[in-house]
Amino acid sequence: MGAGERSEYIEGMYDSQATTYAAFKEASFAWRYIERPAFDRYLTGADVDLPNLYEPDTQVLDVGCGSGLVVEHLISHGIHADNIVGIDLSSQLIEEATRRIQGAHFFRASADNFNVAAESIGLATSNMVFHYLDNEQLQKAFSLIYDALEPGGTLFFVDADPDYSEETRRPENVDQWLELPTPWGGTAPWFSRDPYTLLLDMTYFAGFDMVAGSPLPVSEEGKAFPAEYSKYMSYPARMAARLQKVPEDEKQRRIEGANEQIPRLAE
């Protein structure tokens, strides 16, 4: 299956399951007690000593917005709805987000093929999307996000940790497409990627410095649900990274010296 066919397959999957997925995701343990707290930790900068991005005038692009959970959360923390653009491959999820959230702007587009004005965004976000992209698609997505971000802008994402399941832990499955069960029913394509490839190599050469990132813990509030808490504490389920756009000349220097340079965490 080629990239185009796979994208159509993923689009059709989410179109057909949009209502089921939206209801599941909003109530899911992972969103409430792992993913959502990560946005607060990394975007306020409270725990990582970085500038607070929950500001009313922050211009936001949410890549793979789904039914709008991230957008809704950002609005609840003070970012003006009119400053937020959400894109998603599924037209049904875009309809769901538009219905639920007033004022924000939602458009059907894929993570690796969208059109946003250059240097118009202060913050790009993405939650549980990048594992639906192979390496070539993800490189395109990073390039588009880089172009959309203003100088020094921020990319923040949460994605599944590759150690979260037996299948994704197997070395022979690295850089391979898998078909894995979804928690809301059925199966979905999943690109198994080494975390260092994503967190260091790809982002470094795409023009980003990782200023904070780690596997994500379960929040204290999650302890109120012992079974789920124990399940998600038994393996790293999610990882997150806050990255800062570097100047264009630095990005080009990295690309030109790719054979000699070793990606590293930003100092």
Side-chain angles (χ1 to χ4, degrees):
M1 186 183 295
E5 292 175 311
R6 187 170 290 106
S7 293
E8 290 179 1
Y9 174 71
I10 294 171
E11 177 185 4
M13 177 192 75
Y14 275 105
D15 278 348
S16 65
Q17 301 177 21
T19 302
T20 301
Y21 167 77
F24 166 83
K25 185 66 179 179
E26 186 169 12
S28 72
F29 183 91
W31 165 247
R32 291 188 173 190
Y33 303 112
I34 303 176
E35 298 159 19
R36 185 171 64 184
F39 278 81
D40 295 343
R41 177 188 177 194
Y42 284 95
L43 295 187
T44 63
D47 292 344
V48 290
D49 193 26
L50 291 168
N52 176 24
L53 296 177
Y54 283 159
E55 297 291 345
D57 294 333
T58 300
Q59 300 288 325
V60 181
L61 171 66
D62 188 36
V63 178
C65 63
S67 58
L69 283 184
V70 169
V71 172
E72 191 171 52
H73 186 65
L74 297 179
I75 293 170
S76 75
H77 280 72
I79 298 178
H80 288 163
D82 191 54
N83 292 335
I84 304 176
V85 173
I87 62 169
D88 199 275
L89 188 62
S90 166
S91 59
Q92 294 300 309
L93 286 174
I94 288 295
E95 286 186 14
E96 181 74 13
T98 302
R99 180 187 64 80
R100 293 177 63 242
I101 304 169
Q102 302 299 311
H105 312 280
F106 296 101
F107 303 97
R108 183 194 170 279
S110 62
D112 61 338
N113 186 15
F114 63 85
N115 184 21
V116 173
E119 299 187 353
S120 63
I121 301 296
L123 169 64
T125 57
S126 187
N127 186 53
M128 295 298 290
V129 173
F130 291 160
H131 58 272
Y132 289 127
L133 307 172
D134 63 26
N135 286 337
E136 182 178 354
Q137 290 174 301
L138 187 55
Q139 286 173 342
K140 290 179 181 177
F142 282 151
S143 179
L144 291 172
I145 292 169
Y146 180 93
D147 290 343
L149 284 171
E150 63 189 22
T154 295
L155 165 61
F156 175 74
F157 70 84
V158 174
D159 208 66
D161 192 297
D163 285 337
Y164 97 104
S165 77
E166 181 179 347
E167 290 87 352
T168 55
R169 281 194 295 269
R170 293 175 182 167
E172 64 269 23
N173 286 338
V174 173
D175 289 338
Q176 300 294 323
W177 280 103
L178 308 174
E179 190 77 14
L180 299 180
T182 66
W184 60 91
T187 61
W190 192 285
F191 193 77
S192 181
R193 183 180 285 112
D194 183 290
Y196 295 100
T197 299
L198 172 60
L199 294 176
L200 296 181
D201 293 11
M202 294 188 74
T203 55
Y204 180 86
F205 291 111
F208 295 97
D209 279 339
M210 191 172 84
V211 294
S214 68
L216 294 177
V218 179
S219 69
E220 285 294 310
E221 291 78 5
K223 290 181 178 179
F225 306 89
E228 290 289 299
Y229 182 81
S230 177
K231 169 188 170 183
Y232 280 97
M233 287 294 290
S234 65
Y235 54 80
R238 302 286 187 269
M239 60 183 181
R242 176 168 167 168
L243 304 110
Q244 185 171 356
K245 174 179 176 175
V246 303
E248 179 67 32
D249 57 352
E250 168 60 15
K251 176 183 176 182
Q252 292 305 315
R253 185 191 67 79
R254 295 178 182 189
I255 294 171
E256 292 168 3
N259 293 330
E260 293 81 31
Q261 295 173 356
I262 300 175
R264 57 177 174 75
L265 294 180
E267 295 179 352

